[in-house]
Amino acid sequence: MSRRRGWVAALLVVLVAAAVLAADRVADEPEQVPTAAPVDGADEVPAAGGSVCAVGLGPRPERVLLDVDDLSEQATDDEDGDDDEDGEEADDEAADGEEVDGEDAVTRGSGEASSPADLIVARHDAVGSGPSEPELELLREGERSTQGLPEVFPGADERERLPTDEELTAAWLRWRDAPVATTREWRIEDDDLPPATVAGGCAATSAQPHVIPGMSTAGGDEAHLRLANPFRSAATVAVGFLTPEGAEEPVALRNLTVPPRSVREVIVDEVLPEREDLAAVVEVASGRLAVEGLQIARADAGDVDGASLLAASTAAAEQWTIPWLSDVDAAESWLWVTNREERTADVELTLHGPDGREAPSGLAEVEVPPGEQRRVDLTATFPDDLEVAGVSARSDGVPVTVSGGASIAADAVEDTASIVQLGAAPDATWVVSGARGAEREEALRLVNPGTRDAVLDVTVFTGVTAEQPEELSEVSVPAGAARTVALDEALEDASDWTAFVTATEGEVVVGRVGQDRLARDDEDAEDEQDADDEDAEDEQDADDADDEIAPRHLVVAPGVSSAAWVTRQEGMTGRQVEGLTRQLRTRTGEDGGAEPSDEDRLPGFDPPAEDP
């Protein structure tokens, strides 16, 4: 009896399968299911954003991230506090320091702070017509302050001054209603440090790995790594380095905690002394951070004086462009190419000059092994008639991170310089800001690494009015070429300035090159040296003045492009199809409804790590 029931069940299964197969045979051909389509790449401007600007040098001993145990205990104590009904810490003052008045902590443009940093908040008119409403929160050890700033209207900027003489400080600039480009600049004029001017865009917070190519601790070089956490919870990071020999992961830097609303600094010389060609890699285990570096060169231990802010990249790319490098007799230039991937990167190098693109002599292509950073020396590779060029590095499909460096030697230490700049990608919208323009020679570097000619307009705001001189209107940059546009006539006697660059055709990479004007030219020096011998006092004054040479204060840095405030939607989007569940032979695949992995998530759609 049981055997008969088994045969019946088997027969029913066969009949059902045959019926389904027959229905499939006689059914109409299923509709073509549209495949996932790429998003058009439309730019979306968020309603709010922000960036973190670290200023000053520091460090005070309690803020150097080498005593990991003490910092971890401090962060644990900070996180133990209970949140109140509004989501703030129960004892906010105890966790973040005593609340102070914003006007006392942040000086206005006419403030009396010693060696202040200029914080420049500029609003490009390419997006919207309304003003931006910025807010500034100053992060300093033991205190925090928040204050509203004046509205920033399109085509204008607003400035604040931040003190740099006490300790390392981070300013968190938040904006809403309209995007702004935030930069900072300050002069180093300390007896214990080389005279220099450092400038650059402020850093965005991210939970992605931060890569800073181009650090050195050899000779007279000194490298600093800055970690700023403007949020209410602690962040944990691991710091490692890539070198020409591979990866190095100092044990002391593998589990660092940055307390809430704080800025911390790692002096790389204390961990990896006398090392050239380092790339810092900061991996965020929890929270979000803004990361950047500071490189100092000392002539008393090396050959040149100088200092540069080192921007971090959170996304490798296949193409990078350095706006300015030099190959004159007294200059040396090079690239740092960092490859964190598991494949060798073949990188093609291109020089961009006034007449177009050329390959550097003997360096058309270089190989960068996986997990290494390679230094590419560009000295004596420029054509004889090309002293200054933009340089592009294009990988063969392996994402890399590229920065450029240059040093200028001279008989007088004051004439030497050392600069480092992170590469950039072409864009149609740029903001470049500076300070003390009346005392400096300033120029824009315009590089077109693409295959399409670019035409752009430059508007200069000098604190009161925005003007577009004829020579800055419809500036043409042919494909593959680079141009230098002097700003001296446009700035005239202006002290503060912001240049708004808009490409009406094509895209370019825009950088800034500036230095202090020479206090004395050769003719003046000869006149003073030949002063009347009868006036001994005047002659002595002339001799003393002849011995004094003003430091160069060279600044070379890329501008801030629209990529700093625009979210670009990329990836794939699905399409709903009616009756999909009843169709046989569906083409959506076996995993059509599977949860996407972290690598497959669309940029901008992941939930935020925390509520700021």
Side-chain angles (χ1 to χ4, degrees):
M1 188 68 179
S2 59
R3 182 177 300 179
R4 182 180 299 175
R5 292 178 179 174
W7 280 107
V8 172
L11 180 61
L12 290 176
V13 171
V14 172
L15 292 175
V16 170
V20 171
L21 182 60
D24 184 35
R25 292 290 185 182
V26 301
D28 295 335
E29 184 70 17
E31 298 179 16
Q32 295 293 326
V33 180
T35 58
V39 178
D40 293 336
D43 293 340
E44 293 187 0
V45 179
S51 57
V52 179
C53 310
V55 298
L57 290 177
R60 286 169 52 178
E62 62 269 22
R63 295 194 283 75
V64 179
L65 287 179
L66 292 179
D67 193 351
V68 182
D69 294 336
D70 292 343
L71 289 173
S72 299
E73 292 174 3
Q74 177 184 351
T76 302
D77 293 339
D78 289 340
E79 292 179 302
D80 286 340
D82 295 329
D83 291 354
D84 59 16
E85 295 179 356
D86 296 328
E88 296 288 343
E89 288 84 346
D91 190 356
D92 205 14
E93 292 185 359
D96 299 311
E98 181 181 356
E99 187 79 16
V100 298
D101 181 70
E103 297 292 341
D104 295 336
V106 183
T107 60
R108 291 284 180 176
S110 59
E112 300 294 330
S114 175
S115 301
D118 287 278
L119 178 65
I120 308 166
V121 185
R123 165 93 166 87
H124 202 292
D125 60 4
V127 181
S129 58
S132 176
E133 295 189 16
E135 182 180 67
L136 184 66
E137 180 173 337
L138 197 63
L139 311 175
R140 303 180 67 180
E141 200 66 22
E143 61 185 38
R144 51 182 283 253
S145 61
T146 302
Q147 70 174 80
L149 302 182
E151 292 181 326
V152 186
F153 289 87
D157 67 36
E158 290 289 340
R159 296 173 183 248
E160 298 294 325
R161 285 197 168 180
L162 306 176
T164 62
D165 57 333
E166 297 181 7
E167 60 185 61
L168 180 64
T169 300
W172 188 19
L173 193 286
R174 301 188 295 266
W175 55 264
R176 65 177 183 271
D177 295 341
V180 294
T182 310
T183 59
R184 79 262 112 122
E185 175 178 335
W186 77 93
R187 296 170 71 91
I188 302 174
E189 296 175 329
D190 191 297
D191 293 339
D192 298 329
L193 296 169
T197 296
V198 291
C202 297
T205 59
S206 175
Q208 299 298 319
H210 302 254
V211 179
I212 303 180
M215 286 186 160
S216 173
T217 62
D221 294 341
E222 181 179 318
H224 296 237
L225 183 62
R226 296 144 174 253
L227 314 173
N229 176 15
F231 302 107
R232 297 178 301 177
S233 59
T236 304
V237 302
V239 179
F241 299 88
L242 294 184
T243 73
E245 292 75 33
E248 297 208 18
E249 299 178 345
V251 176
L253 302 180
R254 296 311 297 168
N255 185 24
L256 304 180
T257 300
V258 183
R261 295 189 175 104
S262 299
V263 56
R264 292 288 186 265
E265 188 169 48
V266 175
I267 301 180
V268 182
D269 301 62
E270 301 291 339
V271 185
L272 295 176
E274 297 299 325
R275 303 293 297 273
E276 290 183 320
D277 307 326
L278 297 172
V281 180
V282 180
E283 297 183 281
V284 183
S286 64
R288 286 175 291 167
L289 285 174
V291 178
E292 67 179 9
L294 178 69
Q295 183 70 51
I296 298 175
R298 298 176 183 269
D300 54 3
D303 297 327
V304 298
D305 271 348
S308 294
L309 287 174
L310 307 180
S313 170
T314 57
E318 296 181 20
Q319 180 174 353
W320 299 83
T321 299
I322 311 296
W324 183 94
L325 288 176
S326 178
D327 193 25
V328 297
D329 292 339
E332 295 181 357
S333 294
W334 59 89
L335 296 179
W336 281 292
V337 184
T338 305
N339 179 12
R340 299 187 64 227
E341 302 298 320
E342 298 180 353
R343 294 185 294 147
T344 297
D346 295 322
V347 181
E348 179 185 5
L349 304 181
T350 304
L351 302 178
H352 302 280
D355 298 327
R357 52 172 56 90
E358 296 187 50
S361 176
L363 280 175
E365 187 173 290
V366 296
E367 289 187 356
V368 184
E372 294 185 12
Q373 173 172 270
R374 174 150 297 182
R375 176 177 177 139
V376 182
D377 191 0
L378 296 175
T379 305
T381 64
F382 289 19
D384 294 338
D385 59 347
L386 188 62
E387 295 184 350
V388 174
V391 181
S392 288
R394 181 190 293 272
S395 172
D396 61 347
V398 178
V400 294
T401 307
V402 180
S403 66
S407 65
I408 301 175
D411 293 335
V413 174
E414 291 80 3
D415 278 341
T416 64
S418 176
I419 61 96
V420 179
Q421 52 186 319
L422 181 68
D427 203 306
T429 305
W430 292 85
V431 177
V432 183
S433 299
R436 306 187 184 185
E439 304 172 6
R440 295 175 57 81
E441 298 171 346
E442 296 286 356
L444 297 179
R445 284 287 296 172
L446 311 175
V447 183
N448 180 3
T451 58
R452 176 187 175 192
D453 292 350
V455 178
L456 48 91
D457 295 324
V458 181
T459 302
V460 179
F461 178 75
T462 56
V464 178
T465 60
E467 298 181 354
Q468 186 181 94
E470 183 178 353
E471 64 271 15
L472 299 182
S473 177
E474 296 185 353
V475 179
S476 176
V477 186
R483 291 191 58 180
T484 300
V485 178
L487 297 178
D488 294 350
E489 294 185 6
L491 298 182
E492 295 183 349
D493 296 330
S495 177
D496 302 327
W497 60 275
T498 292
F500 298 96
V501 181
T502 305
T504 56
E505 298 180 21
E507 293 182 331
V508 294
V509 174
V510 180
R512 169 195 175 192
V513 181
Q515 64 180 0
D516 280 12
R517 299 181 188 276
L518 297 179
R520 306 155 50 78
D521 58 31
D522 294 337
E523 183 178 353
D524 292 338
E526 291 177 0
D527 291 343
E528 292 185 10
Q529 188 172 3
D530 295 335
D532 189 358
D533 292 340
E534 295 180 359
D535 194 339
E537 183 177 356
D538 289 346
E539 183 179 5
Q540 184 63 42
D541 292 342
D543 291 339
D544 292 342
D546 202 23
D547 292 336
E548 296 179 1
I549 302 176
R552 184 184 291 268
H553 283 271
L554 178 66
V555 172
V556 179
V560 180
S561 71
S562 66
W565 63 77
V566 168
T567 300
R568 190 168 184 82
Q569 299 298 328
E570 297 177 345
M572 309 295 286
T573 180
R575 294 179 180 174
Q576 182 179 358
V577 179
E578 295 183 2
L580 182 63
T581 56
R582 66 176 174 80
Q583 294 186 32
L584 302 176
R585 304 181 203 168
T586 177
R587 299 186 181 183
T588 57
E590 295 180 355
D591 298 328
E595 178 71 15
S597 65
D598 291 340
E599 295 181 354
D600 296 331
R601 293 185 183 275
L602 294 180
F605 287 88
D606 289 342
E610 59 188 70
D611 182 6

